[in-house]
Amino acid sequence: MSFSDYSAQPTCPHNARTQKTRSTPSTDKVIASFNTWAFKREQPSDVDLLSNIVRKQINNGSPIQFVLYWGKGPRNRTALPDLQCLDYLMAFADRVKSVYEPGAHLTLIYTDTHAALNGHSAANTQQYFAGIEAAAAERGFGQCRLGDLVRKFRSRGSHEADHSGRGAMLSNLTRSASRWYRGGGDAEAGAVAYYDMNMVEKHVIEAAFPQSIFVTFNGSDLRALFPDNLPIFYMYSLRKGFGVKPWFIDDAIESLAQPGAGQIA
């Protein structure tokens, strides 16, 4: 696969532009290249907005921009499920490249803020993310830390955290927190803190990546956690039909893991 030469350093967002090709595909054709059940776990949100973003980037001759969170689970090292996921993301981008010469640019946003909330040490988080950064750089992905984005972009918006939907999601998030949360307080406290954190961070993502498609391995039941004004692409994680996030999978038991969603990451 061939990507444009993007810096592998965590200094995103990066706004790329290339020359338009002589034969420019239609917006629908480009969307159809990736909006397929080979990758999506359900229909994307905000289809009109998705079309508008893709259309603008085609008109500019730019790669189609995708951003996604990458979390931290129990492991402190890169393992087979991580590499399988990265390769699956490459195949996803290859589909765009096959019909649209500038291709796709994927940016991984490492959720160091979520890792800290879940009780992971800074050293363990750095060790794990460093391995993913190296593997992602080999595949041409952009990458950065969510904490850096929050510090850089939070002051640019006037959005206050919206807690109105917290109650409806608390049960789901608490179940996830009971498995993965190791911070202060009980699982429900962790779920509340996670929800509140996302209410700020989703506006940061909008400010940092205003013309991007937000990819998630979760389902639409967690739509409220994602950027309000970006289209959301709900994607499988390692392969068609498989939805467990790679950072939660032990490489020794990957074949036994069952699809799931909603894990705090």
Side-chain angles (χ1 to χ4, degrees), residues 13 16 24-25 68 75 91 144-145 153 155 157 198 239 244 250-251 256:
T24 304
L68 67 150
R75 286 187 283 101
C144 56
R145 303 293 173 95
F153 287 94
S155 62
N198 275 270
R239 55 185 178 268
V244 182
D250 187 312
D251 54 343
L256 302 179

Side-chain angles (χ1 to χ4, degrees), residues 117 119 181-186 189-190:
L117 173 67
Y181 178 67
R182 300 295 183 270
D186 59 14

